[in-house]
Amino acid sequence: MEEFKKKLRIGVIGGARPDNTSYDLALKIGRLIAEKGAVLVCGGLSGIMEASAKGAKQAGGTTVGILPSSSRHDANPHIDIAIATGLGYARNSLVALNADVLIAVDGQYGTLTEIAYGIIYGKKVVGLGTWEIDGIIAAGSPEEAVNLALRS
Amino acid sequence: MEEFKKKLRIGVIGGARPDNTSYDLALKIGRLIAEKGAVLVCGGLSGIMEASAKGAKQAGGTTVGILPSSSRHDANPHIDIAIATGLGYARNSLVALNADVLIAVDGQYGTLTEIAYGIIYGKKVVGLGTWEIDGIIAAGSPEEAVNLALRS
Amino acid sequence: MEEFKKKLRIGVIGGARPDNTSYDLALKIGRLIAEKGAVLVCGGLSGIMEASAKGAKQAGGTTVGILPSSSRHDANPHIDIAIATGLGYARNSLVALNADVLIAVDGQYGTLTEIAYGIIYGKKVVGLGTWEIDGIIAAGSPEEAVNLALRS
Amino acid sequence: MEEFKKKLRIGVIGGARPDNTSYDLALKIGRLIAEKGAVLVCGGLSGIMEASAKGAKQAGGTTVGILPSSSRHDANPHIDIAIATGLGYARNSLVALNADVLIAVDGQYGTLTEIAYGIIYGKKVVGLGTWEIDGIIAAGSPEEAVNLALRS
């Protein structure tokens, strides 16, 4: 664990019910994050959160899940370090705070709060097939998304 | 106060440093909210929050300000009911929760979190010169914005 | 509403399932708070929260309820100004922040968090038949409790 | 990290400015927690939080710090996994939520909120030289405190 705190934390944010294409993109992103030696931070639940954590674990990485509920046992099975908040959607602020850089994939309005919090907190936000708004750096592939994130 | 809880609560959200045009639009919206007998809810600080509260008070209305800081004395002078949260930007969730309908004017990324929270919480979100994203109902004037809000 | 913000806010904290004696003490305290021209702040739910709000309304006062849930409609019927937080028990911090002084009646561990938060935030905490710990000023009756609170 | 999520999480709570005796007790408790294979959870700052984390690291353990501020870089140097919340004292609820069992050492009113939250959330709370209130299981030494915690 000594090295954990020196690692870059990359947050992956996105919807709980993505289509298969977005799920696969997030899986790939998670794998690349782990291969590059970064830590994956996410919301700990299903969909994009699960896919990215699954990918990171497939590549031997470490995963953090910041949960809206009061029990760390609500995390998906690919989360190593589950953090319970009991805050409901207000926990979205904590997802953004605990990443050094964010990658948004797909996503609805919860993702939009996390994108906006990320920008408020001065984090770089990379987007892949997600909201197109000022302040997001668009990527065309998982590789490009992770490379852009690593340049933070 | 008996009647307070029966009144519609209209949230006005927007930036802390608007230009004069947006400030005046928010002032007008606040006035109309009060004239229609609704309660104004906002973030309690400067800019659009202050303008809308000032307008509401000019028309004899009631204003609620949900503050990010720990002291209710941080509210602008046009807030009747100041609520301290000590939550920083996580308080944006509470602004959306405490309105029945939201009107966004101008605004940056804090406003974007409040728009997104509003949609997550099932509130109608009306926009005037603000973010143009799916889920916002665009209005062309303060009158139209308030009329759309009242139809909730 | 002009005068609302100038009024002292007295928080009444206590258990959700008090015995009849404690319920009656809280009712009396609420009545005295209103008679003295102060605003009652509480957690907005049942038990001591309901009793104190009921008493305040019987005497023509104004009541604020800071709720753990996401809907202001969860407040007891004696609350004028219901504030939804969606924060669960973390809202206990907000109850303490939004009172100028606190009176604890009866109560279990939720009340204990509010007492401790009150002291952390520099508020006077008066107690009547509640936790006996350093930092609480003990009162022997509703009258004494409210008089001690008013001397803040 | 695979095994992290299977480990018992023991929270150590206590004051930011303890005397030397309490600091040494917390250091010893941290060491024992690591030796027993449990994870240390704390508030991430100074005093008892720092002592317990330092002890855990001396024995090769893993430490989690749940911070009140918005930056994970505010954690003391013995924290492996720092979690920023930006919630101020409302983060005390999250310290209690993220431990399976709590050990309180010394401490003032912040510690008292964490003890009370622990009991509300159904966690066993062991105390060593701390608040003496119903619901805390008193221990006479660091060894006894950790043994009682492990029996959860």
Side-chain angles (χ1 to χ4, degrees), chain A residues 82-104:
Chain A
I83 303 292
T85 69
L87 299 172
Y89 288 106
R91 84 79 156 76
N92 293 10
S93 168
L94 279 69
V95 173
L97 281 176
N98 284 288
D100 298 313
V101 49
L102 294 158
I103 300 175

Side-chain angles (χ1 to χ4, degrees), chain C residues 44-99:
Chain C
L45 298 177
S46 60
I48 296 299
M49 300 172 262
E50 183 183 277
S52 60
K54 187 175 178 181
K57 293 311 295 175
Q58 285 176 351
T62 300
T63 57
V64 177
I66 315 262
L67 297 160
S69 73
S70 295
S71 170
R72 64 185 171 98
H73 302 292
D74 293 338
N76 74 59
H78 311 289
I79 298 298
D80 295 316
I81 303 166
I83 303 293
T85 69
L87 300 171
Y89 287 106
R91 83 79 155 76
N92 293 9
S93 168
L94 279 71
V95 173
L97 281 176
N98 284 288

Side-chain angles (χ1 to χ4, degrees), chain A residues 63-87:
Chain A
T63 57
V64 177
I66 315 262
L67 298 160
S69 72
S70 296
S71 171
R72 62 184 172 99
H73 303 291
D74 293 338
N76 74 60
H78 312 288
I79 298 299
D80 296 315
I81 302 165
I83 303 292
T85 69
L87 299 172

